[in-house]
Amino acid sequence: MKVLVTGGAGYIGSHVVRLLQQRGDEVVVIDDMSAGVIERLGGAKLLPLDLAAPEAMTLLTELFKTEKIEAVIHLAARKKVGESVELPEWYYEQNISGLAHLLGAMRQTGVTKLVFSSSAATYGMPDVPAVSEDLQCEPINPYGQTKLIGEWMVANAARAWGLRGANLRYFNVAGAGWPDLADTAIANLVPIVFAAIRAGKDPVVFGDDYPTPDGSCVRDYVHVHDLAEAHLSALDYLDRDDRPHDTFNVGTGQGSSVFEVLDEIKKVSEIDFKIDVQPRRAGDPPYLAADVSRIRETLGWSAKRNLHDIIESAWNA
């Protein structure tokens, strides 16, 4: 199969590209290279492009025709929650216009298979510990809102012209499938802690008085290699005539506290660093993990790697 991967030079995208290549699929990548690394692509053809640019739909339509694209995995998006709060208009322009241009080009060229990178940020602050896909989504920031609107766009395209879409709601992604595909951004807990250690600073924990076993927030951490495999499972699912669901959580179904993550980093790194405990941040739910029964039962996918695997692979990378 010939697959277009948008954002394929990024952290998650490069893992998806490599797995597709390993199983024999031909891959074309679109990436604006704002966070991409060209060496990650393994020979995949690259078209540098901002999907939100006015000329994007025309260029995409030409690409679909000339490259004979058969399916799309769409990961390209802006994804920093804090930045989305500061620049909401830009986030709407980037994430929603980019998807609109992509869907428009797919419609014009008859490409009907799309795996869409969504997020657990669509849920907002649910008051249940294990979040199922049937829970009403109430995103609390522009980033989460753009991902939910993206899911609506996929559903509308399915009704309007027969798109076969699957939305993957990621939980907390970390680790590295290969050392050369490390997360180079310092935006999530694990790379933030690593950066603090390298700088000789104490990692910061926001809140140790939550109603959790050790007082710190609990989250569902999924290995990026497992997540990439979920994309391939979702892509294959789109070939089925019987597709009872179009939205899936991607996590482990188990939570790990911030202190547990830090303890694992101490073990793996063999560095006994101190921790700087600060007051809670507004908007952090105490416990958030995925109900993963749907993706397990429908796609046959489940995470194979645990917290130790995540931290060890990230540290080695």
Side-chain angles (χ1 to χ4, degrees), residues 172-175 188-194 197 203-205 214 216-222 254-271 273 275 306-312 314-315:
N172 295 58
V173 185
N188 299 312
L189 177 61
V190 174
I192 287 173
V193 173
F194 287 176
I197 294 172
V204 175
V205 172
D214 64 16
S216 65
C217 286
V218 174
R219 296 291 182 269
D220 191 333
Y221 293 89
V222 60
Q254 297 181 340
S256 299
S257 75
V258 173
F259 287 143
E260 287 174 333
V261 173
L262 294 176
D263 285 343
E264 193 62 44
I265 292 174
K266 287 181 180 181
K267 292 175 186 175
V268 169
S269 68
E270 299 182 346
I271 299 172
F273 50 84
I275 299 170
N306 59 25
L307 181 63
H308 173 77
D309 299 327
I310 289 171
I311 301 305
E312 184 176 54
W315 182 257

Side-chain angles (χ1 to χ4, degrees), residues 23-285:
R23 77 172 192 177
D25 290 316
E26 191 174 351
V27 182
V28 177
V29 169
I30 284 178
D31 201 299
D32 70 358
M33 301 307 291
S34 59
V37 179
I38 196 167
E39 289 78 14
R40 292 170 166 167
L41 295 180
K45 183 173 183 178
L46 170 67
L47 174 64
L49 177 65
D50 176 0
L51 291 175
E55 69 276 12
M57 194 166 102
T58 299
L59 294 174
L60 284 166
T61 302
E62 294 173 358
L63 178 71
F64 283 128
K65 291 177 180 177
T66 58
E67 294 293 333
K68 297 180 171 58
I69 300 298
E70 299 171 81
V72 179
I73 298 178
H74 178 47
L75 299 106
R78 307 300 172 185
K79 62 177 186 177
K80 296 179 181 178
V81 170
E83 185 179 57
S84 79
V85 174
E86 296 173 2
L87 302 169
E89 302 86 0
W90 187 59
Y91 262 68
Y92 273 78
E93 176 190 33
Q94 289 287 303
N95 292 358
I96 295 173
S97 294
L99 178 56
H101 292 153
L102 181 64
L103 289 171
M106 292 177 70
R107 181 173 189 169
Q108 288 189 27
T109 55
V111 179
T112 58
K113 291 186 283 190
L114 173 68
V115 178
F116 173 59
S117 165
S118 190
S119 170
T122 57
Y123 293 117
M125 290 185 62
D127 58 359
V128 294
V131 182
S132 78
E133 295 89 344
D134 293 328
L135 190 74
Q136 182 174 340
C137 290
E138 297 179 355
I140 59 173
N141 53 64
Y143 166 69
Q145 291 164 0
T146 65
K147 287 298 182 181
L148 182 57
I149 292 170
E151 292 184 11
W152 295 346
M153 294 167 71
V154 171
N156 287 329
R159 285 187 288 268
W161 52 271
L163 177 74
R164 292 174 173 237
N167 309 305
L168 300 184
R169 291 177 178 166
Y170 308 169
F171 279 67
N172 295 58
V173 185
W178 295 268
D180 60 319
L181 301 187
D183 187 358
T184 56
I186 304 174
N188 299 312
L189 177 61
V190 174
I192 287 173
V193 173
F194 287 176
I197 294 172
R198 284 196 298 268
K201 298 179 180 179
D202 299 336
V204 175
V205 172
F206 294 99
D208 62 354
D209 58 349
Y210 285 95
T212 60
D214 64 16
S216 65
C217 286
V218 174
R219 296 291 182 269
D220 191 333
Y221 293 89
V222 60
H223 197 294
V224 66
H225 197 290
D226 286 329
L227 173 67
E229 289 175 342
H231 286 78
L232 272 64
S233 296
L235 185 62
D236 295 340
Y237 171 73
L238 298 180
D239 286 326
R240 289 165 42 178
D241 291 329
D242 177 28
R243 299 188 313 280
H245 303 290
D246 58 12
T247 301
F248 303 92
N249 288 335
V250 186
T252 65
Q254 297 181 340
S256 299
S257 75
V258 173
F259 287 143
E260 287 174 333
V261 173
L262 294 176
D263 285 343
E264 193 62 44
I265 292 174
K266 287 181 180 181
K267 292 175 186 175
V268 169
S269 68
E270 299 182 346
I271 299 172
D272 189 19
F273 50 84
K274 295 181 180 179
I275 299 170
D276 179 11
V277 177
Q278 295 290 327
R280 297 184 187 187
R281 292 183 301 190
D284 278 343

